[in-house]
């Protein structure tokens, strides 16, 4: 039976709110670990005697394995079951977190960060896939996506604040140890709450050739983007970028010929989904770039301490939560693509205001209007892009579609981070220019979201015109 004709009844749980809380807490760990080490890096460097290049790869190795293995993680979830994949991934993530906290040598920390990324690549698609299976009513699903989106933004903010507090008052090792109790709760409760949920479809063999091509291609692409600035080896980076394109092209060719494609046929053929994923890449690039540049501006230009810079993001948290709530209500009443378009416009306006404020050397109060609008747009945009991308997912494709949503955000993050060094210029002080580029990325995301609206409207017209049996 193909995924298009699969009609199994949706799973049920008597504690959907508890399931949502567990899934979102786990998601919080993944997004938190994207940047929790940023503020602690100087302390870690002093303790472990990290060189400059090694210091960068404490961050990049996590993003590299996370982004490169996401699609494979989603496909494994579809084959072996989302709950089982969630449990394995969470176990790997927890073990890697313990190893990070116990690291005594630079290579041990970098290797453990890579292992964290492997666990995250298994967990993230399972989290989003389980949300689409547990919450089947449109209003429930919109609320679940809103909480998921708020968790993603909160994780990024919590990473800054927690890292500053823990590093200042305890030890940097605790930024990794705090993952362990949350992982333990998830491992104990989730399989009991979701007994019998999607055991997977093991009759379809896994296309390991396609998995190898895509994983290698994505990993090289993320590596190339993360290494654009400051590598000192432009020919090597350009070669890796070209090879990544070749490998991804070989993957596409393999998928067309394979009887068992890694990404089920029709997943990318759905125009609403494919265009929503493009919008998600651009919006995520705008978010990551704006987020990092604003952090640098607060510390390097305005003289904020790391802890003060983290606390300065409290208005960002309030704005993002406002956007999440507004986006949830709007998605119930309107098409997700329309909500995404409005969110991207709001993000672009916020980024433009931030660029103007930075170029004019405004103090922190002058940044607040831009921060609030930028955060509100991001808060509404990420859940609505996920809602548009996952529409039509079923038990046999939910994992891989969820992995594509997460991949779009990780790829966007890599693009945004790659552009930061270029936009800041040789002086490293071009904050206004860098934030203006973030606004441009948000405008491009808006253009992509408009095509989502058009594709959704065309699909609705086609459905209405179709003859009724």
């Amino acid at each position: 039976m193909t995924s298009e004709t699969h009609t199994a009844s949706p799973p049920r749980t008597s504690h959907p709110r508890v399931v949502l809380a567990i899934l979102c807490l786990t998601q919080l760990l993944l997004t938190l670990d994207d940047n929790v080490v940023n503020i602690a890096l100087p302390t870690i460097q002093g303790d472990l005697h990290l060189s400059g290049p090694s210091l960068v790869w404490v961050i990049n190795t996590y993003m590299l394995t996370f982004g490169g293995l996401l699609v494979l993680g989603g496909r494994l979830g579809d084959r072996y079951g989302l709950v089982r994949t969630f449990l394995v991934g969470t176990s790997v993530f927890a073990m890697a977190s313990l190893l990070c906290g116990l690291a005594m040598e630079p290579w041990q920390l970098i290797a453990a960060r890579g292992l964290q990324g492997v666990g995250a690549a298994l967990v993230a698609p399972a989290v989003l896939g389980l949300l689409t299976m547990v919450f089947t009513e449109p209003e429930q699903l919109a609320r679940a996506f809103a909480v998921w989106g708020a968790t993603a933004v909160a994780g990024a903010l919590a990473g800054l604040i927690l890292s500053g507090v823990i590093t200042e008052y305890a030890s940097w090792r605790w930024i990794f140890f705090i993952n362990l109790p949350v992982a333990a709760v998830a491992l104990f409760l989730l399989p009991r709450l979701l007994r019998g949920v999607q055991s997977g479809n093991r009759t379809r063999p896994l296309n390991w050739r396609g998995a190898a091509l895509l994983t290698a291609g994505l990993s090289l692409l993320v590596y190339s983007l993360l290494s654009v600035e400051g590598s000192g080896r432009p020919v090597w980076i350009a070669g890796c970028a070209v090879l990544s394109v070749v490998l991804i092209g070989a993957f596409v060719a393999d998928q067309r010929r394979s009887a068992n494609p890694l990404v089920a046929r029709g997943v990318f053929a759905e125009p609403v989904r494919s265009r929503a994923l493009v919008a998600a890449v651009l919006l995520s690039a705008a978010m990551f770039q704006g987020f990092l540049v604003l952090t640098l501006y607060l510390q390097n230009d305005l003289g904020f301490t790391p802890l003060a810079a983290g606390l300065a993001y409290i208005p960002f948290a309030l704005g993002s939560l406002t956007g999440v709530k507004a986006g949830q209500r709007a998605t119930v009443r309107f098409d997700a693509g329309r909500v995404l378009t409005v969110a991207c416009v709001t993000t672009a306006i916020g980024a433009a205001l931030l660029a103007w404020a930075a170029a004019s050397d405004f103090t922190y109060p002058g940044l607040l209007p831009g921060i609030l609008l930028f955060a509100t747009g991001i808060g509404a945009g990420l859940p609505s892009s996920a809602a548009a991308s996952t529409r039509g997912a079923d038990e046999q494709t939910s994992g891989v579609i969820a992995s594509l949503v997460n991949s779009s955000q990780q790829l966007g993050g890599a693009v945004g981070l790659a552009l930061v060094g270029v936009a800041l210029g040789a002086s490293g002080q071009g904050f206004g220019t860098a934030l203006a580029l973030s606004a441009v990325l948000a405008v491009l995301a808006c253009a992509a979201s408009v095509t989502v609206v058009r594709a959704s409207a065309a699909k609705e017209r086609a459905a209405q015109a179709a003859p009724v049996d």
Side-chain angles (χ1 to χ4, degrees), residues 207 209-210 212-214 217 243-257:
N207 184 340
R209 181 177 61 249
L213 288 170
L214 182 60
L243 182 57
S244 74
V245 173
V246 171
L247 289 172
I248 292 173
F251 166 76
V252 172
D254 175 78
Q255 296 299 282
R256 289 176 176 173
R257 295 193 302 266

Side-chain angles (χ1 to χ4, degrees), residues 28 31-33 35-36 39 151-166 175 178 291 310 313 317:
L28 180 67
T31 52
L32 187 150
D33 274 72
N35 66 356
V36 72
I39 289 177
T151 301
V153 176
L157 297 172
L160 291 174
I161 297 172
L162 273 177
S163 184
V165 172
I166 291 172
I175 66 177
I178 58 174
F291 201 69
Y313 274 98

Side-chain angles (χ1 to χ4, degrees), residues 33-278:
D33 274 72
D34 258 334
N35 66 356
V36 72
V37 300
N38 287 5
I39 289 177
L41 275 179
T43 305
I44 295 173
Q45 184 177 28
D47 274 6
L48 300 185
H49 307 292
L50 284 158
S51 65
S54 296
L55 196 67
V56 172
W57 284 103
V58 172
I59 300 173
N60 288 358
T61 301
Y62 178 78
M63 291 191 67
L64 183 64
T65 53
F66 190 1
L69 294 170
L70 267 167
V71 175
L72 177 58
R75 184 65 186 87
L76 289 171
D78 289 334
R79 177 173 169 78
Y80 296 106
L82 294 176
V83 173
R84 185 178 289 109
T85 307
F86 176 92
L87 297 177
V88 172
T90 302
S91 299
V92 171
F93 187 84
M95 180 179 68
S97 297
L98 178 62
L99 294 175
C100 285
L102 296 175
M104 301 302 293
E105 298 289 341
W107 70 265
Q108 294 172 347
L109 179 59
I110 293 171
R113 286 285 286 171
L115 189 60
Q116 269 192 317
V118 174
L122 293 172
V123 174
V127 167
L128 198 52
L130 286 169
L131 286 181
T132 64
M133 294 172 62
V134 172
F135 299 94
T136 55
E137 298 297 325
E139 187 170 350
Q140 292 178 340
L141 187 59
R143 187 178 298 113
F145 273 132
V147 177
W148 173 83
T151 301
V153 176
L157 297 172
L160 291 174
I161 297 172
L162 273 177
S163 184
V165 172
I166 291 172
T167 303
E168 187 161 337
Y169 295 109
S171 165
W172 64 265
R173 298 179 186 278
W174 281 97
I175 66 177
F176 300 110
F177 290 152
I178 58 174
N179 295 336
L180 301 180
V182 177
V185 170
L187 290 170
F188 178 76
L189 288 180
L190 197 73
R192 290 163 174 78
L193 295 171
L194 293 177
R195 284 193 176 95
V197 172
Q198 195 218 24
S199 59
N201 180 10
R202 301 192 192 189
T203 59
R204 285 179 57 188
L206 188 62
N207 184 340
W208 288 106
R209 181 177 61 249
L213 288 170
L214 182 60
T215 299
L218 284 177
S219 297
L220 280 172
L221 179 59
V222 173
Y223 170 79
S224 302
L225 290 169
L226 293 174
S227 304
V228 164
E229 183 65 17
S231 71
R233 297 184 295 172
V235 175
W236 168 260
I237 299 304
C240 289
V242 170
L243 182 57
S244 74
V245 173
V246 171
L247 289 172
I248 292 173
F251 166 76
V252 172
D254 175 78
Q255 296 299 282
R256 289 176 176 173
R257 295 193 302 266
S258 175
N260 298 290
L262 187 68
V263 179
R265 291 187 177 89
V267 167
F268 283 119
E270 166 57 53
V272 173
R273 178 177 300 122
S274 57
R275 297 175 191 188
L277 290 171
V278 171

Side-chain angles (χ1 to χ4, degrees), residues 344-411:
C344 291
V345 171
T346 305
T347 303
I349 294 173
L353 287 176
L354 286 172
W356 174 54
S360 304
D361 290 323
F362 285 2
T363 57
Y364 181 68
L367 297 172
L368 285 175
I371 288 174
L372 290 170
L373 282 174
F374 187 77
T376 301
I378 294 296
L382 290 180
S384 57
S385 66
S389 302
T390 57
R391 190 173 74 174
D394 58 25
E395 287 191 24
Q396 300 306 315
T397 60
S398 57
V400 74
I401 291 174
S403 73
L404 293 173
V405 174
N406 283 283
S407 290
S408 67
Q409 294 178 6
Q410 287 295 314
L411 182 59

Side-chain angles (χ1 to χ4, degrees), residues 293-435:
V293 173
L294 183 57
T295 302
L296 294 173
Y297 181 72
L298 290 172
Q299 295 187 61
N300 296 347
D301 196 85
L302 299 186
F304 281 40
T305 65
L307 183 56
L311 294 175
Y313 274 98
I314 290 175
F316 195 108
L318 296 175
S320 65
L321 293 175
T322 300
V324 164
K325 193 65 178 176
Q328 171 202 329
R329 293 175 177 173
T331 302
V332 174
R333 296 184 57 190
F334 306 103
D335 181 78
R338 297 182 185 277
V339 179
L340 177 59
T341 302
V342 174
C344 291
V345 171
T346 305
T347 303
I349 294 173
L353 287 176
L354 286 172
W356 174 54
S360 304
D361 290 323
F362 285 2
T363 57
Y364 181 68
L367 297 172
L368 285 175
I371 288 174
L372 290 170
L373 282 174
F374 187 77
T376 301
I378 294 296
L382 290 180
S384 57
S385 66
S389 302
T390 57
R391 190 173 74 174
D394 58 25
E395 287 191 24
Q396 300 306 315
T397 60
S398 57
V400 74
I401 291 174
S403 73
L404 293 173
V405 174
N406 283 283
S407 290
S408 67
Q409 294 178 6
Q410 287 295 314
L411 182 59
V415 171
L417 293 175
L419 292 173
V420 167
V422 176
L424 287 175
S427 67
Q429 301 294 313
F431 301 112
T433 302
L435 287 166

